[in-house]
Amino acid sequence: MLIFLKRLALFILVLVAIDQLLGFGLRQIYFSQTKGQYAQINQAVNKVEADILVFGSSRAIRHYDPAILSAAFGKSCYNVGCDAQQIPYYTALQDVIFRRKKPSMVILDINTWEFIEGSSKYEKLSILLPHCRQHPELIPYQELSSPYERWKLFSQVYPYNSTLFISANNILLANKIAKDENGYNPLRKHMTPDEVEYTQKLLNQSQKDDAEKKPPTDTVAFRLLHQFLNNCTQNGIPTYVVISPKLAPEIPNVRKDQLIEIVKQYKNVKFLDFTKNDRYNNHFEKFADIFHLNKEGAEEFSHELVDSLRTR
Amino acid sequence: MIFNSISFVLFYIIVTALYFLLPHRFRWLMLLIASCYFYMAFVPIYILILGFTIVIDYYAGIYLEATKDLKKRKQLLLCSLVANIGVLVFFKYYNFLNTNLSAVLHNFSAQNPLPYLSILLPIGLSFHTFQAMSYTIEVYRGNQKAEKHFGIYSLYVMFYPQLVAGPIERPQNILHQMHEEHPFDYTNMVEGLKQMLWGLFKKLVVADRLSIYVNSIFDHAEIHNGSSIAIACFFFAIQIYCDFSGYSDIAIGSARTMGFDLMTNFRRPYFAKSINEFWSRWHISLSTWFRDYLYIPLGGNRVPKWKQYRNLFIVFLVSGIWHGANNTFIIWGALHAVFTIIGLVITPFTKDVHLKIGVPKPLVDGVRLLVNLTIVTFAWIFFRATSLDNAFTLIKNLKTFGKAPFLGDSVSNFGHCALAIVLLLVIEYKMEYLPNQFNFFRHPNMVVRWGSIVTMLFALLLLGVFNGGQFIYFQF
């Protein structure tokens, strides 16, 4: 047994050494990216100092043009949205950014499905793992998905789990990746007739599912929304909680009612709902896919948002 | 507590260390307590169900051995089987039977008086029930002496590595090992750990990665085209193999580190060239269970052909039902029965077919392998589908094959899937066809040996999915 334990100790030493070396290499690769999702996250986490910040998911990245907002308010604007993320990500990111610089206006693009119970929204926070070394304040958010995340971070390689293909793509095909415009990454496409047909099927199915299913609400997600809004209010930042346009009008649900009730609790926070809007509902020409406006739709929406914000 | 969790890693280290630190006479007790803790990490109260069947089977075994009267022995065996099957039927099939009864009564405009019960299925119920039944059957047949030590018998049923998803052990193989002293053995420890690592690789890098794509297609069958569904079906075939055999590898490996030798459960089933061969490579502990305790007692193949086919049909149907209380599993079982029977019927015509048509044997074998993989994959549609409607929608949409496939929410995940499958195929191909070559894990040079283990560990860290959740077979 002694031989085994000695060899095991040596093996662990070798493992730790390789982990440090490999981790160092992966860190260089990750932080050297200038285009693509990781570069955008790096910018948001470590560099952004704009006056107006737009938080949200892929719908935020595709729907809010910082140039339009910036021109309308005479302030710098940055879109810190991130694909496939939900309220835990926005709250974690807000925590990091506000420690560096407090903006003068915050726009939070939200969706009611973010408040449906489910663990994936917390698991997706793993996208911030590479930043935990530099921003330990992110670790408690990681622990929302597993209490062991703090321990897993002992490995220098683990934070880069599942990043290989995206990193390789961002580096090798950097010339083919469109550079974002202050975080804004519009979809420059229109749906083909096939896609319209597919999307219609998808909409019918999802509306049927929404009507039939009554999923439980996620109390942790609502707690994080409170935290987000509270952080804004305490810093005296005017905040707008926005549901941006959708292809089909949203079916009324308790989560939206709860969201509206929460927003009402904070002075400085206003709620803007664009989901039931004839200018967007069923206007397939303004959408790139079922969830996202295309560039033309996004610009129209950004102008409409500016008008709404001015009247508030 | 699942094998792919940090809690299990901690649990495993503590239990294995304690096992070798404690004197032999206390080891069974420590393992029993650890197994109870392991089981109670799921739904604590269900330990009582296990306790109930353990007590029944323990005394059934003792009385079976003591009784010479054949009639009484049959009654005792029946008592044990009824208790075990009764628990299984109540927890696993009550609601399924009840729903079907309601449907039948509805046709006669009658109401079903039985209530629907919201009960959670005890984890691994079908596995430990079958293992318990094999004990009383073997004692009844006189192949196994009754276990007098209640603690050891309990450990036979509850031994944590194979408690919730097998391998379904036979008393002749495992009970005596529970009595024997297992001193620390370097080879067992190292080889066991390697097998656990390989199991984790299959689960985290392959199965859980593929499941992301598979779920996105199967859960929205209505909107996907044939190419996407075909890819998802193929991915699911790989996923379920890696999920289940990965679990078995971790179970067998963790038992081996403590000196226990559990039976092999998988032998690269997708390299099989017929359905018959597939079942001699897939979930071996279950297929041999059905062979020994159902197929042979029904007459096996020492009966007229039609009876043999009937027997096969019964076995596969029961196997389907064993997997789950859903019509989809019954269809899955029936399909395998039909495929097996067709295989038996055409065997005389396909024997030495390469000589008859004058093509190289490897080519014929390759075609057979692909045909077998295709029909097994087709049957998996019913296994994975949530309902018959879901399965038929998938099959209907399979026809729209021409369009480009959906690559999932992220192309990166699809790339990871492809890489995982390539890695798996390369390693499995080597294991199947080149067993004595490229044995990097057992290479005499320590640098090569350690290098290959380190590579696999970092492949886990870089490519694994760490939130993939439970093993599919836990639900059975």
Side-chain angles (χ1 to χ4, degrees):
Chain A
M1 193 190 298
L2 204 61
I3 299 171
F4 171 76
L5 290 175
K6 274 183 188 171
R7 286 193 183 172
L8 183 66
L10 183 63
F11 184 76
I12 290 171
L13 274 177
V14 172
L15 216 56
V16 171
I18 296 174
D19 180 73
Q20 294 288 326
L21 267 174
L22 198 58
F24 175 78
L26 289 164
R27 203 159 41 246
Q28 301 306 312
I29 293 170
Y30 182 91
F31 285 101
S32 67
Q33 292 170 45
T34 53
K35 282 182 176 176
Q37 191 183 33
Y38 296 157
Q40 268 178 280
I41 294 171
N42 187 23
Q43 182 76 14
V45 172
N46 294 311
K47 294 169 191 161
V48 164
E49 295 206 334
D51 297 318
I52 304 171
L53 288 181
V54 180
F55 288 86
S57 62
S58 58
R59 281 168 44 81
I61 306 179
R62 321 291 184 201
H63 293 184
Y64 298 79
D65 186 346
I68 294 172
L69 290 161
S70 196
F73 295 102
K75 292 175 176 176
S76 61
C77 176
Y78 200 92
N79 190 327
V80 292
C82 183
D83 278 342
Q85 294 296 334
Q86 298 189 19
I87 186 72
Y89 176 85
Y90 325 144
T91 314
L93 187 62
Q94 182 210 42
D95 199 345
V96 176
I97 294 176
F98 278 23
R99 281 168 201 247
R100 187 172 59 245
K101 198 216 166 195
K102 292 175 181 63
S104 58
M105 186 199 286
V106 163
I107 295 168
L108 171 65
D109 182 86
I110 205 126
N111 300 289
T112 51
W113 62 65
E114 298 180 33
F115 301 100
I116 294 174
E117 202 175 74
S119 58
S120 72
K121 62 171 89 70
Y122 304 106
E123 287 154 7
K124 283 175 182 168
L125 274 173
S126 62
I127 202 158
L128 287 173
L129 281 172
H131 300 276
C132 287
R133 191 180 146 102
Q134 210 178 332
H135 298 282
E137 64 269 26
L138 288 172
I139 296 175
Y141 295 98
Q142 299 296 340
E143 287 176 325
L144 289 169
S145 69
S146 156
Y148 298 110
E149 286 303 301
R150 188 180 290 274
W151 304 105
K152 288 183 192 168
L153 282 166
F154 179 75
S155 162
Q156 298 299 309
V157 169
Y158 173 68
Y160 304 96
N161 170 268
S162 302
T163 63
L164 277 185
F165 277 87
I166 298 174
S167 291
N169 181 64
N170 292 346
I171 292 167
L172 300 174
L173 303 173
N175 294 337
K176 289 187 179 171
I177 299 171
K179 179 93 178 108
D180 64 84
E181 300 154 22
N182 284 332
Y184 174 55
N185 211 339
L187 293 170
R188 295 164 207 271
K189 67 176 283 246
H190 293 87
M191 282 195 239
T192 61
D194 266 3
E195 284 170 333
V196 169
E197 187 196 330
Y198 169 83
T199 305
Q200 263 166 341
K201 268 167 115 183
L202 207 64
L203 279 175
N204 293 341
Q205 184 63 35
S206 69
Q207 286 191 324
K208 200 176 130 202
D209 288 351
D210 286 349
E212 280 172 6
K213 291 177 191 164
K214 301 231 174 328
T217 53
D218 185 344
T219 50
V220 178
F222 276 120
R223 178 175 65 73
L224 290 168
L225 176 69
H226 269 297
Q227 190 184 320
F228 187 98
L229 299 180
N230 200 33
N231 206 359
C232 289
T233 306
Q234 280 186 346
N235 286 296
I237 304 166
T239 303
Y240 299 92
V241 177
V242 184
I243 308 186
S244 51
K246 288 184 175 173
L247 197 44
E250 201 168 48
I251 292 173
N253 62 71
V254 287
R255 291 176 300 281
K256 191 187 241 176
D257 300 340
Q258 223 169 324
L259 171 68
I260 295 167
E261 282 308 307
I262 288 172
V263 171
K264 276 185 192 164
Q265 293 171 26
Y266 296 88
K267 54 177 190 176
N268 275 359
V269 183
K270 300 276 182 293
F271 179 65
L272 300 167
D273 186 359
F274 290 87
T275 51
K276 206 169 176 185
N277 189 321
D278 290 341
R279 289 224 289 279
Y280 301 100
N281 295 154
N282 298 313
H283 281 272
F284 285 84
E285 76 283 1
K286 292 180 185 176
F287 283 80
D289 58 48
I290 188 169
F291 295 117
H292 307 107
L293 291 164
N294 56 25
K295 190 170 189 299
E296 290 76 25
E299 279 171 8
E300 184 181 333
F301 164 64
S302 294
H303 283 296
E304 195 174 338
L305 176 72
V306 165
D307 293 343
S308 293
L309 295 180
R310 277 187 174 143
T311 57
R312 295 265 162 177
Chain B
M1 192 187 307
I2 50 176
F3 281 174
N4 53 332
S5 66
I6 299 278
S7 339
F8 176 74
V9 173
L10 297 174
F11 169 86
Y12 168 77
I13 293 171
I14 293 168
V15 170
T16 312
L18 276 176
Y19 183 79
F20 289 114
L21 289 173
L22 284 171
H24 172 60
R25 65 181 185 281
F26 296 124
R27 284 179 177 176
W28 69 267
L29 183 61
M30 188 279 296
L31 276 181
L32 185 60
I33 293 169
S35 300
C36 289
Y37 176 79
F38 180 83
Y39 190 77
M40 288 168 77
F42 298 103
V43 183
I45 194 75
Y46 282 166
I47 192 100
L48 297 176
I49 303 165
L50 258 175
F52 167 73
T53 52
I54 285 171
V55 170
I56 299 257
D57 295 330
Y58 170 73
Y59 284 107
I62 287 179
Y63 288 125
L64 268 170
E65 192 175 65
T67 312
K68 297 282 175 267
D69 179 6
L70 189 65
K71 197 178 163 193
K72 268 193 177 173
R73 285 169 61 81
K74 276 189 178 164
Q75 282 170 349
L76 280 166
L77 176 67
L78 198 66
C79 178
S80 158
L81 296 182
V82 165
N84 284 294
I85 296 171
V87 167
L88 191 60
V89 167
F90 178 74
F91 282 96
K92 194 164 176 173
Y93 304 105
Y94 172 82
N95 283 333
F96 173 68
L97 294 171
N98 202 13
T99 310
N100 283 320
L101 179 68
S102 298
V104 171
L105 290 175
H106 182 75
N107 288 339
F108 296 100
S109 309
Q111 279 230 320
N112 179 4
L114 296 171
Y116 182 88
L117 300 177
S118 20
I119 38 174
L120 202 65
L121 180 69
I123 208 147
L125 181 66
S126 307
F127 288 92
H128 55 73
T129 307
F130 267 44
Q131 180 153 322
M133 284 198 287
S134 77
Y135 167 77
T136 39
I137 296 171
E138 292 298 342
V139 174
Y140 171 80
R141 288 177 175 178
N143 298 332
Q144 172 67 40
K145 284 194 168 181
E147 178 54 58
K148 306 289 187 303
H149 193 305
F150 183 72
I152 296 281
Y153 176 72
S154 306
L155 186 57
Y156 160 75
V157 180
M158 295 195 64
F159 187 41
Y160 86 83
Q162 35 95 248
L163 172 60
V164 290
I168 304 166
E169 277 295 344
R170 303 306 157 76
Q172 296 96 314
N173 179 42
I174 194 79
L175 254 176
H176 68 92
Q177 296 187 50
M178 306 277 179
H179 286 281
E180 288 160 6
E181 185 171 356
H182 302 137
F184 181 86
D185 182 275
Y186 183 86
T187 311
N188 273 343
M189 177 57 80
V190 173
E191 292 304 316
L193 287 172
K194 283 178 194 167
Q195 191 162 1
M196 290 173 80
L197 179 61
W198 176 228
L200 273 176
F201 179 89
K202 284 200 265 189
K203 168 68 178 161
L204 299 180
V205 178
V206 189
D208 287 348
R209 179 65 66 186
L210 298 183
S211 75
I212 299 170
Y213 184 80
V214 171
N215 295 346
S216 68
I217 303 293
F218 273 76
D219 295 348
H220 301 100
E222 304 80 6
I223 55 166
H224 287 291
N225 63 36
S227 339
S228 311
I229 292 169
I231 293 173
C233 291
F234 173 65
F235 277 13
F236 180 68
I238 307 277
Q239 182 203 339
I240 192 158
Y241 164 62
C242 287
D243 191 282
F244 193 17
S245 72
Y247 177 93
S248 293
D249 281 326
I250 302 170
I252 295 166
S254 58
R256 186 171 178 187
T257 55
M258 291 186 286
F260 291 93
D261 180 23
L262 300 185
M263 72 185 291
T264 304
N265 217 11
F266 288 88
R267 281 191 302 109
R268 297 169 293 284
Y270 294 134
F271 286 105
K273 293 169 207 78
S274 67
I275 287 287
N276 229 344
E277 191 189 348
F278 173 81
W279 279 103
S280 66
R281 289 165 172 259
W282 178 274
H283 201 177
I284 298 165
S285 65
L286 180 72
S287 41
T288 51
W289 197 101
F290 279 123
R291 182 197 64 200
D292 295 345
Y293 304 127
L294 188 59
Y295 182 66
I296 292 175
L298 282 171
N301 39 12
R302 292 182 176 181
V303 286
K305 278 281 174 215
W306 75 267
K307 274 195 174 176
Q308 185 195 351
Y309 299 154
R310 180 207 62 185
N311 296 345
L312 278 168
F313 209 88
I314 291 170
V315 168
F316 277 107
L317 222 50
V318 175
S319 168
I321 294 166
W322 179 90
H323 279 87
N326 195 329
N327 294 328
T328 50
F329 292 110
I330 297 174
I331 301 282
W332 173 77
L335 276 177
H336 271 277
V338 171
F339 295 153
T340 308
I341 293 165
I342 292 173
L344 286 176
V345 171
I346 64 170
T347 298
F349 307 103
T350 56
K351 204 180 169 192
D352 295 329
V353 72
H354 62 286
L355 296 176
K356 291 174 197 163
I357 58 174
V359 288
K361 190 169 184 292
L363 185 67
V364 174
D365 285 349
V367 171
R368 279 182 165 166
L369 190 149
L370 286 177
V371 169
N372 196 54
L373 179 62
T374 307
I375 57 176
V376 169
T377 302
F378 177 76
W380 284 130
I381 293 177
F382 289 91
F383 194 95
R384 172 58 181 79
T386 46
S387 63
L388 283 181
D389 276 351
N390 183 221
F392 290 128
T393 306
L394 284 156
I395 293 166
K396 189 185 85 191
N397 287 359
L398 256 177
K399 288 181 218 156
T400 55
F401 202 79
K403 294 178 182 175
F406 167 70
L407 293 183
D409 291 335
S410 89
V411 178
S412 148
N413 185 61
F414 202 81
H416 278 103
C417 288
L419 178 64
I421 291 174
V422 169
L423 287 173
L424 177 82
L425 281 179
V426 168
I427 298 172
E428 295 257 302
Y429 182 89
K430 187 224 94 60
M431 287 177 171
E432 179 70 17
Y433 296 112
L434 309 164
N436 301 317
Q437 291 175 53
F438 312 112
N439 279 331
F440 299 126
F441 268 27
R442 295 186 183 88
H443 202 276
N445 185 328
M446 198 178 87
V447 176
V448 177
R449 204 167 60 238
W450 281 29
S452 55
I453 298 168
V454 166
T455 306
M456 186 157 278
L457 273 169
F458 282 108
L460 266 182
L461 272 178
L462 276 173
L463 306 172
V465 175
F466 288 91
N467 45 32
Q470 285 205 351
F471 290 83
I472 295 171
Y473 264 70
F474 271 30
Q475 62 186 296
F476 307 137

